[in-house]
Amino acid sequence: MTYSTRIVSVLAVLAALVLAGCSDDDKQAAATLKPLAVKEQASSIVKGDDGYVVNWAGVLANRNPWHFGEHTVATVVAKDASGKEVVRLDQPLDAVPPADSLSFSGHVVAAEKPATVSIQYRPAQWRQAGRIVSSFLPFPISDVLTDSKEGSYLITGYVGTPYRRPAESLAVTALLRDKAGKLLGGGSTFVEDVRAGEKRRFIMQIKSVADTGKVATAEVTARTWGSSSRPYEELAKGGVIPLHTVKPTTAPFAKDRGRSTLLSDSRP
């Protein structure tokens, strides 16, 4: 075996050991990640013109401070009184930011009357965030107005963005709660092209939640639309809008007041 052959062999062994170590580290890191937690969920059934409308809403919490939860799917199953499935639907959910939660909602029409509704979740895929948690700011919601009448609940308001780059698509979700804070159901809509310094109006008319007369509050949030963390990461990379954009009107100090002068120096 020549000298060069020995060097190549040693490098190959070292590379294999490094890869094996990285693989073990990755497996260990994945094993320490906590699964998404179901904070709350609710469903309701309303008789509609074309059948029975099944509405559901929920909140998933990500307890990991450095990872996005991606490609999560909620499977909604509704069964009739005999136990036969009348609805089975897979709903892809938006990515859940690190140390944060995701509100979601949906509805579907069933031809036969459901008796029970259940929601199950596929495990999330994890991706380490490229920024610290404080970089992923919430999208501000303002001027929310609600109106309940004739079995429907109307919600209007505005959504903005704290980021410099335009948000191409945001999912706006409203969770409806009674006076005690219990989740009754929800609704969702989308807004497009939300730019810095601007607001986009959203409108939701929710007709698929039973007993809308019991609704006391509408909890509205907005998220980047998509099952991966890429939209949120791209916004964070572009930076946030400065909080103070008005130039100071006072004259600058004659000298820097933050600097002190040593009166004496006893060093040799």
Side-chain angles (χ1 to χ4, degrees), residues 186-254:
S188 297
T189 188
F190 297 90
V191 291
E192 309 292 335
D193 193 29
V194 184
R195 295 177 176 270
E198 300 179 357
K199 297 179 181 180
R200 291 294 188 192
R201 190 168 186 246
F202 62 85
I203 301 175
M204 277 182 273
Q205 188 172 17
I206 304 173
K207 298 182 179 180
S208 56
V209 175
D211 298 327
T212 53
K214 295 182 179 179
V215 178
T217 59
E219 181 183 299
V220 184
T221 57
R223 287 289 183 209
T224 53
W225 180 74
S227 59
S228 76
S229 62
R230 185 175 178 275
Y232 222 156
E233 294 270 17
E234 290 298 320
L235 291 175
K237 287 179 182 179
V240 299
I241 304 170
L243 295 177
H244 305 287
T245 57
V246 180
K247 293 182 179 180
T249 56
T250 57
F253 295 132

Side-chain angles (χ1 to χ4, degrees), residues 6 10 23 56 67 91 101 107 111 119 125 127-128 150 160-161 165 168 173 212 219-220 239 251 257:
R6 291 178 181 177
V10 171
S23 178
W56 63 88
H67 291 76
Q91 180 187 13
S101 61
H107 68 272
I119 309 175
Q125 298 178 23
R127 178 181 293 275
Q128 186 169 351
E150 299 179 357
T161 178
R165 292 181 179 177
E168 295 182 1
T173 299
T212 53
E219 181 183 299
V220 184
R257 294 185 179 182

